[in-house]
C-alpha cells in the first residue's frame, strides 16, 4: 500500500509583473488502488498541480509538501520522482525531434526499472501494449510526439503509463481533444493498468465525460488554486448538471470580489 | 518555448535577441538584407595579388579572426605539404585496390584544374598560387554505395604551413560516395573542386577532425552538370580555426544540390561556414541544412561559430526550388553563434524558396519531458543533442563514418560534462 499526500501546497510562477501565486494551499491524499478525479474550470491551477508534483522547473513551491510514502518528493530531481514511482501524463506532451519513440521508451524503462529490459521480452511487451492502445507499430520509429495528432499523443502517454508502471499516475486532461473512439481506447488503457496494478490515479479533467469510462472513487472540485469541495462520484453528477458556477462564485466571494 | 536567441549578428533575417527563434521563416529578401553580389560583380581570380590583403572589415572576412590565420591571408610561405592518400572503402576495411578509379598528380597547367570554379577570396587564391601539385581523382562509372572512396588529407605538422588542391571528377553518369577525411596539425589553405558530370551523382562527406592547433581555410567549388546530383556534407569537429566556403555553381538545367553541415565548437574554437548557392540555370534544386552545437566551458575562451548562407536565384533561373536552414544549439553560456541567411530572388518564376535560422539554448521542455520519464539529466541531454544532429548524420551513407561521428559527438559532450 502506498500513499501520495499533498499538504498545504503553495506554488507560484514567475510572470513579467513578478511572481504570481497559483496554488494556494492544496490538501489531498491518494492511496493505492484509488482513483481521484480533480475537476475544475480552465485556469484554476490543475496543470500547475500536476507539474508541481512532477517537478517542472517553471513552478516554485513556496510552502507545503508532497509526500510519497512519507518521503518528500519536492526534494527530489524530476527523474528521481519518476523512478520513485510517479508518472505524469501531460496535457501537452512535448515533441523531441530526432529521438525515436522506441529509443525513448527503452531508455525510460531502463531508468525506471533500474536495468535494461531483456530485448526479446521488451519487444513483445511494447508490441502488445501498442496493440492494446491501437497504435500503429510504425510509430516506434518516429520521433517522440513529433507531428502526432492530439489523440496519438495521448495514446502514447498511456502507453508510457503501462510500460513504466508507476505507483501513482497523474493524468492531466488525458481526455481533452479525443473523439469518442479514442477516449474509449485511452480509458481502456488506464483501466487495464489499474486492473493489473495497485496504482493510485489523480485524474485531472475539465469535463465529466471521461468519468463514464474511468470510475472515480473520490471527486474534488478545484477552483482558484485549491480544493473547494470533495465528495463521491455524485459530486461529478452535480457538476455535469450545474457546472462550476456554484463553486466559482463561492470562491470569488471568499476572495472578497464581486461574483 | 525556451529556445532563446543569444547571439546573432548580420543583416536580413537573422534572429535578434528577444525574437521568437524556432524555424523563423521571414521568407524572402528583406530591404535590410546585405545584398549578395551577383555573379558578374563577384570578384574571382586565380591570382592572389589580384585580391587585397583583408583587414577584417570586409563583408567576406568580418567574422574571421585574421590574426589566427597564421598569415594565410597575407602571403605566408609554404614550409610543408599535406599528405593525400586515396583508398577504396572506409576505416578498417579500406584497401588500395581502387578498381577503375584514377588518381593523378598534376600541375596547375592541367586543363581540368579550375573547371570547378575560381577562387573568390584571397586565401583561396593564395592556395591556388602556391599548391605544389594537385590531386585529381576521377570516377567514370557508377560505384556502389558500399564501396566509398576515402581521401585522407593529413596536415603538414605542428608549426608548418601547406597549400593544397584536390579535384574529384565524376564523369557522365558516374556515381560515387567519397569521404574526404582531414586530420593532423599545422596551417592549411586548400581548394576542393567537385566536378559532377551530366547525370552523375556524387555524395561527398568532408570531415574536419583536426588536432587542436590546426588552422584550415578551404574553398569548395561544387560544379553541377545537367541533371546531376551532389550531396555535400561537411563535418567540423576539430581544429583551432576552420573556415569553409562551399560554392554551388550549376552548369546546366536539372541540377540537384544538397548541402548539409554538422559542427561542434568547444571553447576557443572558431568554426566558420560561408555558403553560396548560385542558381544560374533553370529547374535546379538546392537544399541546405546546417546544424551546430557550441559549448564553451566556463572560464575558457568562448566557442564561436559562423554560418552565412547566401542563395541567389538569378533572372534566368526559372523553376528553381530552394530552401536553406541553419540551427544552432548553445549547450553552455560561453558561446556565440552567428547565423546569417540571405536569399535573393531575381525572378518570379520559381518553384519555391525559403530560409530559416534559429539559435537557441537547450529546450528545457524537452529535457523535462525525458526526465519526467525517469531518464537522468545527462542522458536526457545526450538524447536531445543526438536527436538534434540526427537528421544530418542519417544522411551520411557510410555506416562506419556514422558510427565515428556519433562517437565523436558523445566524446564532445563527455568532455564538458553535458
Ligand atoms: N508562466 C505563467 N505566467 C503567468 N501565468 C501563468 C503561467 N503559467 C500558468 N499561469 C496561470 O496560472 C493559472 C493556472 O494555470 P493552469 O495550471 O494551466 O490551469 P488549468 O490547468 O486548470 O487550466 C492560469 O490563470 C494561468 O494563466
Ligand atoms: Mg491544464
Amino acid at each position: 500500500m502506498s500513499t501520495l499526500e499533498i499538504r498545504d501546497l503553495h506554488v507560484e510562477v514567475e510572470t513579467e509583473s513578478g511572481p504570481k501565486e497559483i496554488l494556494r494551499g492544496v490538501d489531498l491524499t491518494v492511496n493505492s488502488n484509488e482513483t481521484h478525479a480533480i475537476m475544475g474550470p480552465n485556469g484554476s491551477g490543475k496543470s500547475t498541480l500536476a507539474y508541481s508534483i512532477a517537478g517542472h522547473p517553471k513552478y516554485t513551491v513556496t510552502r507545503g509538501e508532497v509526500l510519497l510514502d512519507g518521503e518528500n518528493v519536492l526534494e527530489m530531481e524530476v527523474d528521481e520522482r519518476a523512478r520513485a514511482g510517479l508518472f505524469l501524463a501531460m496535457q501537452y506532451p512535448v515533441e523531441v525531434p530526432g529521438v525515436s519513440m522506441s529509443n525513448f521508451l527503452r531508455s525510460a524503462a531502463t531508468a525506471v526499472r533500474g536495468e535494461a529490459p531483456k530485448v526479446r521480452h521488451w519487444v513483445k511487451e511494447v508490441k502488445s501494449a501498442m496493440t492494446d492502445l491501437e497504435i500503429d507499430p510504425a510509430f516506434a520509429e518516429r520521433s517522440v510526439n513529433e507531428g502526432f495528432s492530439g489523440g496519438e499523443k495521448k495514446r502514447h502517454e498511456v502507453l508510457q503509463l503501462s510500460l513504466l508502471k508507476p505507483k501513482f499516475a497523474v493524468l492531466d486532461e488525458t481526455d481533452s481533444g479525443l473523439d469518442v473512439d479514442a477516449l474509449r481506447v485511452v480509458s481502456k488503457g488506464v483501466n487495464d493498468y489499474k486492473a493489473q496494478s495497485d496504482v493510485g490515479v489523480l485524474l485531472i479533467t475539465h469535463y465529466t465525460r471521461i468519468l463514464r469510462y474511468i470510475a472515480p472513487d473520490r471527486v474534488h472540485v478545484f477552483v482558484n488554486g485549491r480544493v473547494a469541495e470533495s465528495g463521491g462520484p455524485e459530486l461529478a453528477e452535480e457538476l455535469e448538471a450545474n457546472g462550476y458556477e456554484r463553486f466559482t462564485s463561492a470562491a470569488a466571494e471568499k476572495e472578497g470580489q464581486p461574483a | 518555448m525556451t529556445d532563446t536567441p543569444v547571439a546573432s549578428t548580420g543583416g536580413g533575417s537573422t534572429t535578434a535577441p528577444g525574437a521568437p527563434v524556432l524555424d523563423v521563416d521571414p521568407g524572402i529578401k528583406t530591404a535590410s538584407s546585405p545584398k549578395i553580389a551577383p555573379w558578374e560583380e563577384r570578384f574571382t581570380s586565380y591570382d592572389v595579388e589580384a585580391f587585397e590583403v583583408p583587414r577584417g572589415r570586409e563583408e567576406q572576412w568580418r567574422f574571421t579572426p585574421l590574426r589566427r590565420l597564421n598569415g594565410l591571408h597575407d602571403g605566408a610561405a609554404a614550409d610543408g605539404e599535406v599528405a593525400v592518400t586515396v583508398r577504396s572503402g572506409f576505416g578498417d576495411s579500406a584497401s588500395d585496390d581502387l578498381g577503375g578509379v584514377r588518381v593523378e598528380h598534376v600541375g596547375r597547367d592541367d586543363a581540368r584544374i579550375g573547371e570547378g570554379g575560381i577562387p573568390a577570396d584571397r586565401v583561396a587564391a593564395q592556395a591556388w598560387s602556391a599548391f605544389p601539385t594537385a590531386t585529381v581523382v576521377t570516377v567514370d562509372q557508377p560505384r556502389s554505395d558500399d564501396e566509398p572512396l576515402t581521401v585522407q588529407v593529413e596536415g603538414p605538422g605542428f608549426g608548418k604551413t601547406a597549400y593544397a588542391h584536390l579535384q574529384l571528377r565524376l564523369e557522365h553518369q558516374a556515381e560515387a560516395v567519397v569521404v574526404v577525411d582531414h586530420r593532423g596539425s599545422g596551417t592549411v589553405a586548400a581548394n576542393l573542386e567537385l566536378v559532377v558530370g551530366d547525370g552523375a551523382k556524387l555524395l561527398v562527406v568532408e570531415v574536419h577532425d583536426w588536432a587542436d592547433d590546426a588552422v584550415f581555410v578551404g574553398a569548395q567549388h561544387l560544379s553541377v552538370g545537367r541533371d546531376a546530383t551532389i550531396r555535400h556534407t561537411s563535418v567540423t569537429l576539430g581544429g583551432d580555426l576552420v573556415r569553409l566556403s562551399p560554392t554551388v555553381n550549376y552548369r546546366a538545367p536539372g541540377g540537384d544540390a544538397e548541402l548539409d553541415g554538422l559542427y561542434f565548437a568547444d571553447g576557443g574554437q572558431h568554426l566558420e561556414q560561408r555558403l553560396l548557392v548560385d542558381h544560374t540555370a533553370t529547374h535546379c534544386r538546392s537544399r541546405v541544412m546546417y546544424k551546430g552545437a557550441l559549448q564553451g566551458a566556463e572560464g575558457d575562451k568562448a566557442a564561436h561559430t559562423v554560418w552565412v548562407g547566401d542563395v541567389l536565384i538569378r533572372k534566368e533561373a526559372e523553376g528553381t526550388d530552394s530552401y536553406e536552414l541553419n540551427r544552432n544549439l548553445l549547450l553552455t553560456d560561453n558561446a556565440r553563434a552567428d547565423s546569417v541567411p540571405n536569399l535573393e530572388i531575381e525572378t518570379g518564376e520559381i518553384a519555391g524558396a525559403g530560409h530559416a535560422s534559429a539559435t537557441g539554448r537547450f529546450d528545457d521542455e524537452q529535457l523535462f519531458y525525458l526526465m519526467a520519464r525517469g531518464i537522468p539529466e545527462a542522458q536526457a541531454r545526450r538524447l536531445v543533442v543526438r536527436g538534434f544532429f540526427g537528421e544530418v548524420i542519417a544522411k551520411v551513407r557510410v555506416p562506419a563514418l556514422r558510427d565515428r561521428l556519433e562517437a565523436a559527438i558523445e566524446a564532445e559532450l563527455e568532455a564538458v560534462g553535458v
Side-chain angles (χ1 to χ4, degrees), chain A residues 9-238:
Chain A
L9 191 66
H10 289 251
V11 171
E12 53 184 45
V13 295
E14 204 52 54
T15 70
E16 276 165 22
S17 51
K20 175 182 171 193
E21 183 164 66
I22 305 207
L23 298 188
R24 315 191 303 157
V26 180
D27 289 291
L28 198 66
T29 301
V30 186
N31 294 305
S32 292
N33 293 309
E34 292 177 358
T35 296
H36 291 228
I38 296 187
M39 306 194 57
N42 279 332
S44 57
K46 304 182 300 297
S47 290
T48 303
L49 175 63
Y51 279 128
S52 302
I53 296 170
H56 194 292
K58 195 171 99 179
Y59 302 92
T60 311
V61 176
T62 53
R63 207 156 90 201
E65 297 174 309
V66 178
L67 304 173
L68 174 59
D69 293 330
E71 275 219 61
N72 193 354
V73 163
L74 300 179
E75 284 166 6
M76 301 179 192
E77 297 295 329
V78 175
D79 54 318
E80 290 172 325
R81 298 180 196 204
R83 295 199 297 273
L86 294 178
F87 180 85
L88 166 61
M90 291 183 209
Q91 183 174 0
Y92 303 108
V94 180
E95 304 191 353
V96 192
V99 179
S100 74
M101 207 33 138
S102 67
N103 184 10
F104 163 64
L105 291 175
R106 195 171 162 78
S107 303
T110 301
V112 167
R113 297 178 189 184
E115 60 177 350
K118 296 256 179 332
V119 175
R120 201 144 34 94
H121 291 252
W122 174 247
V123 170
K124 255 198 224 155
E125 193 182 344
V126 174
K127 215 170 164 185
S128 111
M130 286 176 90
T131 310
D132 289 346
L133 287 160
E134 299 179 17
I135 296 171
D136 187 324
F139 275 90
E141 292 320 313
R142 287 178 56 177
S143 292
V144 173
N145 294 321
E146 195 180 40
F148 291 17
S149 72
E152 286 159 356
K153 285 182 181 165
K154 297 302 173 77
R155 279 174 209 232
H156 280 87
E157 292 294 286
V158 177
L159 174 69
Q160 293 164 53
L161 168 75
S162 73
L163 292 171
L164 300 180
K165 307 192 189 312
K167 290 182 191 155
F168 289 95
V170 181
L171 310 180
D172 189 5
E173 300 215 17
T174 300
D175 54 333
S176 64
L178 297 185
D179 62 27
V180 181
D181 288 332
L183 182 62
R184 182 184 47 76
V185 170
V186 159
S187 305
K188 183 176 175 299
V190 175
N191 285 330
D192 286 351
Y193 178 57
K194 278 175 64 175
Q196 49 144 300
S197 71
D198 294 326
V199 69
V201 177
L202 260 180
L203 185 66
I204 294 175
T205 181
H206 182 78
Y207 302 106
T208 53
R209 192 174 68 142
I210 192 173
L211 304 182
R212 277 179 241 146
Y213 297 88
I214 304 175
D217 303 296
R218 300 283 296 163
V219 175
H220 309 276
V221 182
F222 203 80
V223 179
N224 211 1
R226 56 167 79 99
V227 175
E229 191 164 320
S230 299
E234 73 285 349
L235 187 52
E237 277 154 38
E238 193 209 319

Side-chain angles (χ1 to χ4, degrees), chain B residues 357-389:
Chain B
S357 156
T359 295
R361 289 182 197 288
F362 226 89
D363 186 336
D364 289 335
E365 295 297 331
Q366 293 179 0
L367 209 57
F368 171 73
Y369 189 74
L370 298 175
M371 288 176 72
R373 300 306 182 236
I375 300 172
E377 180 170 354
Q379 192 188 347
R381 283 180 179 273
R382 286 202 295 270
L383 278 173
V384 172
V385 175
R386 250 190 265 152
F388 174 73
F389 284 129

Side-chain angles (χ1 to χ4, degrees), chain B residues 76-368:
Chain B
D79 54 3
E81 285 187 27
V82 299
V84 180
T85 38
V86 184
R87 307 190 78 197
S88 175
F90 177 78
D92 296 338
S93 63
S95 87
D96 293 328
D97 178 8
L98 297 180
V101 175
R102 254 193 348 265
V103 179
E104 298 159 83
H105 301 282
V106 304
R108 60 179 61 64
D109 54 340
D110 188 290
R112 295 167 297 180
I113 298 298
E115 237 177 71
I118 308 169
D121 66 57
R122 182 168 162 112
V123 174
Q126 175 72 61
W128 202 288
S129 309
F131 70 79
T133 60
T135 305
V136 179
V137 179
T138 307
V139 180
D140 60 8
Q141 55 196 334
R143 283 173 66 87
S144 127
D145 278 8
D146 305 333
E147 273 183 291
L149 290 170
T150 302
V151 180
Q152 178 84 47
V153 179
E154 182 78 31
F158 189 85
K160 298 238 185 279
T161 298
Y163 296 103
H165 196 104
L166 174 65
Q167 184 180 78
L168 302 178
R169 294 180 71 79
L170 264 67
E171 305 289 14
H172 182 75
Q173 304 279 3
E175 287 180 25
V177 177
V178 183
V179 180
V180 185
D181 199 359
H182 301 80
R183 295 177 194 251
S185 286
T187 299
V188 179
N191 286 281
L192 171 63
E193 294 184 69
L194 304 171
V195 182
V196 189
D198 293 349
K201 187 173 176 190
L202 173 62
L203 281 72
V204 59
V205 186
E206 205 181 322
V207 184
H208 293 275
D209 214 349
W210 298 101
D212 290 346
D213 67 288
V215 171
F216 180 84
V217 179
Q220 294 74 12
H221 310 274
L222 286 64
S223 174
V224 186
R226 180 180 299 273
D227 299 324
T229 301
I230 185 162
R231 304 279 178 263
H232 177 267
T233 304
S234 77
V235 177
T236 312
L237 302 168
D240 173 65
L241 183 152
V242 176
R243 178 182 144 125
L244 308 177
S245 308
T247 300
V248 182
N249 183 17
Y250 298 91
R251 297 195 307 271
D256 181 353
E258 286 184 14
L259 279 72
D260 298 317
L262 181 167
Y263 47 96
F264 204 128
D266 297 318
Q269 277 189 301
H270 176 95
L271 306 181
E272 179 168 350
Q273 339 251 349
R274 309 182 66 92
L275 289 74
L276 170 65
V277 181
D278 188 30
H279 280 281
T280 49
T282 57
H283 301 290
C284 289
R285 175 178 177 274
S286 62
R287 287 290 179 276
V288 174
M289 172 172 70
Y290 270 63
K291 292 193 169 190
L294 295 84
Q295 53 176 8
E298 225 175 297
D300 195 358
K301 281 181 273 179
H304 190 189
T305 66
V306 178
W307 180 86
V308 179
D310 288 346
V311 175
L312 174 58
I313 302 174
R314 308 213 300 170
K315 202 168 279 136
E316 59 272 36
E318 291 184 356
T320 292
D321 178 9
S322 171
Y323 192 82
E324 62 167 348
L325 170 144
N326 174 229
R327 286 199 59 191
N328 296 296
L329 183 57
L330 302 167
L331 297 172
T332 60
D333 283 338
N334 196 11
R336 178 191 167 93
D338 289 294
S339 179
V340 189
N342 273 309
L343 176 57
E344 209 157 295
I345 304 175
E346 294 174 349
T347 169
E349 304 296 312
I350 55 166
H355 62 171
S357 156
T359 295
R361 289 182 197 288
F362 226 89
D363 186 336
D364 289 335
E365 295 297 331
Q366 293 179 0
L367 209 57
F368 171 73

